Amino acid sequence: MPSTERVLNQNELMVMFAIQRRMSDAYGVSIRDEIESRTSRKMTFGVLYTILSRLEQEGMLTSRDGEATPERGGRAKKYFSITAKGQAAVNTATADFESMRPSAAAGLAHAH
Amino acid sequence: MPISRVFTTSLSAIDLADEFNKLEERAKQAQHDLAVMSAAIHLQSSFIIEAKLTRSNDSKHAPEPIPEFIAPVQFLGPIKFERIQATPIIVVNKPPRLVEGFVWLVLPRKLREAIMGDAAEAYTQTIQRYNGRRWMATLDYIKEAGFATFAAFRMSLAQWVQLIWKRSS
């Protein structure tokens, strides 16, 4: 029976992984830098905050206000962390990707 | 003291040894000065702070001007460095006010603070990455502001559509 759970898309999964990696230091700039350094994908703040906002509304992320710094023009950082629901969604999406991915040998055979 | 004195034969053996020790002491001091100045230069490049080393004027010759150093450490030793309280100067590059003002107007209140703060931080990083080329950072900032505005508009539109759909059904 097909699952009714919300499935994370690739961009959302990358953002979630970046938040996991950054742990307590996951805010806009650090999440974007993490994705850019590991995947060479440039993500604009518009796309990033759309994803973060949507995931927060769905209860997969929580946010808290951090400290304001002079580099940010005196504006506070917004730190994000994954909830239990979010973690379950990440685990499901990762497992789905892994189960769909053919083995290396099968992939090569298909290519030829 | 001129070095040539060391080589005059009129000095006794004891005097010669004494002169040699003094020279050795001065060489060690010079080496220490060099190490301290290297550390100061390293800190200067790390923290982007103004550096000034001052030296007590206890020699006959006037000291050469050395850049001032404001550092979180106190340098002790025969050379008297001024102890100065550390106040690292943080380089802040502000994005253009006009663009910032426009972004402030169009972004939703909930995300305004976070997005504008991130964009300002990214602006400073971009300037440093492109070796101070402000126009490249400004272009980047405008691009970010544009995408953020578009994304905010889409989010608002989606919320309005959802609201209208709920009310009509």
Side-chain angles (χ1 to χ4, degrees), chain B residues 65-119:
Chain B
I66 303 167
E68 248 185 51
F69 184 79
I70 303 169
V73 293
Q74 180 179 13
F75 292 97
L76 302 171
I79 296 176
K80 297 185 185 87
F81 289 99
E82 289 176 10
R83 186 190 180 183
I84 302 164
Q85 289 299 320
T87 313
I89 298 166
I90 298 162
V91 176
V92 174
N93 296 293
K94 290 188 179 171
R97 282 200 181 263
L98 202 63
V99 183
E100 236 187 350
F102 175 74
V103 171
W104 187 89
L105 279 170
V106 298
L107 285 178
R109 195 163 26 98
K110 216 171 41 168
L111 296 174
R112 188 184 290 157
E113 180 98 347
I115 294 181
M116 287 187 72
D118 286 344

Side-chain angles (χ1 to χ4, degrees), chain A residues 27-29 32-33 36 42-47 49-50 53-54 57 69-78, chain B residues 90-92 100 110-111 113-122 124-125 129 143-144 147-148 151 155 159:
Chain A
Y27 67 102
V29 173
R32 190 181 81 151
D33 287 348
E36 204 173 305
K42 279 194 80 83
M43 199 179 262
T44 62
F45 287 122
V47 170
Y49 273 94
T50 305
S53 184
R54 185 167 61 230
Q57 274 175 5
T69 56
E71 297 99 325
R72 297 173 63 84
R75 296 181 183 95
K77 294 180 186 177
K78 199 178 183 79
Chain B
I90 298 162
V91 176
V92 174
E100 236 187 350
K110 216 171 41 168
L111 296 174
E113 180 98 347
I115 294 181
M116 287 187 72
D118 286 344
E121 194 177 326
T124 303
Q125 282 179 0
R129 201 184 312 147
K143 185 190 84 177
E144 289 287 352
F147 278 115
M155 275 196 292
Q159 279 171 359

